[in-house]
Amino acid sequence: MKSGTSLCFGIIISIFCFGVRIDASTKTVQDTNDFNNEKFELLLKRLDYVERRNDEMERRMEIMAADFREKEKALNDRITELEKLNNPRNSDNDNHVTNERFVNALDDSDNVTDETNGRDSVQKQTRTIRSGSRRARSVESDVAFFAAITPHDVEHLGINQNIVFDHAFTNTGNAYHNIHGIFTAPVAGTYVFCATVAGGIVRNDHDQTYYAYFDVNGQTLANFITYPYKQTTQMIIVKLQVGDDVSVRNNRVEYGILGVLYTSFSGFLLYQDVGSSVNIVGK
């Protein structure tokens, strides 16, 4: 009896354990299926997100392509307009090439004798270029000089007397007059002048100061102040008309300056007024 009971109990226990194993296996399979379902749903969501991103990128690319086409069309239209504007100018220039000519501002005149060394100087001419009704910028005339006192000192100068820089090393355009120490503007324009004055022996023991000044048509433009055996330099930039005079003048009686290349005067034409022509001023 006991054996039969034990057998039955063993069978029941076996069936229970088998049932438990079946339940555990079923639960494991169910958990695995749930996990796979979750992964599948996540993959579906990611795929949907990628598709939406791809659609958005395609729309943006279409917009950019349309914008590019519009800008390309606008650029081509602009190029066409510029070509239309440029073609008449080119044809007009071609028509005027054969008619373009140089016009001399002055008729030929006699050569002018250089005061310092008797050389003949070539008259400088201003040229203008005409093309149709338009006028180009004038070609500047050559005007430049450099002069110095040589070889002796200058003493006993009178008040407001021109300092004569007797030797002109350079006198392009012959506008500087070495006999009078005066520069006379041959053309209207803006000029640059520079002078260096070296003080000489002063007879007055109470005042060793020497004074001079730049004179432009009788007007003082810049002053010099120096002392015995010392130099001072001034530079001016001034607008002149044809025939205007520029010189360096003494400012006190009986005062002297050093020569032997210690005292000099120079100038040049910076730029010429448009339309101004060369005038050879009598010397």
Side-chain angles (χ1 to χ4, degrees):
M1 185 70 180
K2 290 182 180 180
S3 298
T5 302
S6 299
L7 180 61
C8 290
F9 183 77
I11 292 171
I12 292 171
I13 292 299
S14 298
I15 293 171
F16 176 78
C17 291
F18 181 74
V20 169
R21 286 197 298 272
I22 291 173
D23 291 340
S25 298
T26 302
K27 188 175 183 308
T28 302
V29 170
Q30 184 65 37
D31 290 341
T32 302
N33 290 335
D34 292 342
F35 176 75
N36 290 334
N37 289 335
E38 290 178 359
K39 288 185 65 176
F40 183 73
E41 290 178 358
L42 179 62
L43 289 174
L44 288 177
K45 290 181 181 180
R46 294 185 64 180
L47 179 62
D48 181 64
Y49 173 75
V50 171
E51 289 178 348
R52 285 188 285 108
R53 284 287 303 273
N54 185 56
D55 293 340
E56 180 67 22
M57 292 295 295
E58 289 180 352
R59 285 194 296 270
R60 290 184 180 181
M61 291 179 66
E62 290 176 356
I63 294 173
M64 292 175 63
D67 183 63
F68 176 78
R69 287 192 295 270
E70 291 179 0
K71 290 182 177 180
E72 183 181 25
K73 183 178 181 302
L75 180 60
N76 290 331
D77 292 342
R78 182 58 177 165
I79 292 173
T80 302
E81 292 176 1
L82 291 175
E83 289 176 348
K84 290 179 180 179
L85 292 174
N86 190 42
N87 287 335
R89 294 178 183 174
N90 290 337
S91 60
D92 179 68
N93 289 336
D94 292 338
N95 292 333
H96 285 288
V97 165
T98 56
N99 296 327
E100 188 175 274
R101 58 195 180 93
F102 291 96
V103 181
N104 290 332
L106 290 179
D107 294 329
D108 294 336
S109 63
D110 296 333
N111 291 332
V112 181
T113 303
D114 192 311
E115 291 177 340
T116 58
N117 54 20
R119 293 176 302 175
D120 289 337
S121 63
V122 179
Q123 176 183 346
K124 302 300 179 181
Q125 296 178 335
T126 301
R127 294 178 177 177
T128 57
I129 301 175
R130 295 182 183 274
S131 178
S133 60
R134 293 170 294 181
R135 184 174 181 177
R137 187 175 70 90
S138 296
V139 178
E140 294 179 355
S141 302
D142 294 331
V143 181
F145 77 97
F146 169 70
I149 297 177
T150 63
H152 52 77
D153 297 341
V154 179
E155 299 180 358
H156 309 297
L157 287 168
I159 189 169
N160 299 326
Q161 179 180 340
N162 288 338
I163 299 175
V164 177
F165 302 83
D166 60 288
H167 186 76
F169 294 92
T170 302
N171 196 12
T172 304
N174 297 294
Y176 175 72
H177 311 281
N178 67 322
I179 295 177
H180 309 292
I182 298 175
F183 173 87
T184 302
V187 295
T190 300
Y191 291 80
V192 178
F193 297 95
C194 181
T196 297
V197 176
I201 299 175
V202 179
R203 303 301 178 182
N204 184 349
D205 295 335
H206 299 289
D207 189 356
Q208 300 292 309
T209 309
Y210 173 79
Y211 297 92
Y213 61 93
F214 264 119
D215 180 271
V216 179
N217 294 328
Q219 178 184 359
T220 300
L221 211 60
N223 290 314
F224 298 81
I225 180 172
T226 188
Y227 304 92
Y229 303 106
K230 294 184 181 296
Q231 292 176 305
T232 185
T233 299
Q234 279 279 25
M235 184 179 73
I236 62 173
I237 302 174
V238 59
K239 188 175 181 61
L240 301 177
Q241 299 301 320
V242 176
D244 286 350
D245 291 335
V246 180
S247 61
V248 180
R249 295 189 177 186
N250 178 62
N251 202 24
R252 286 191 178 183
V253 178
E254 291 297 324
Y255 280 63
I257 54 178
L258 298 180
V260 198
L261 304 181
Y262 287 106
T263 301
S264 62
F265 182 28
S266 60
F268 61 91
L269 174 64
L270 183 61
Y271 58 84
Q272 180 179 340
D273 289 351
V274 175
S276 174
S277 59
V278 176
N279 283 354
I280 301 299
V281 181
K283 300 182 179 181

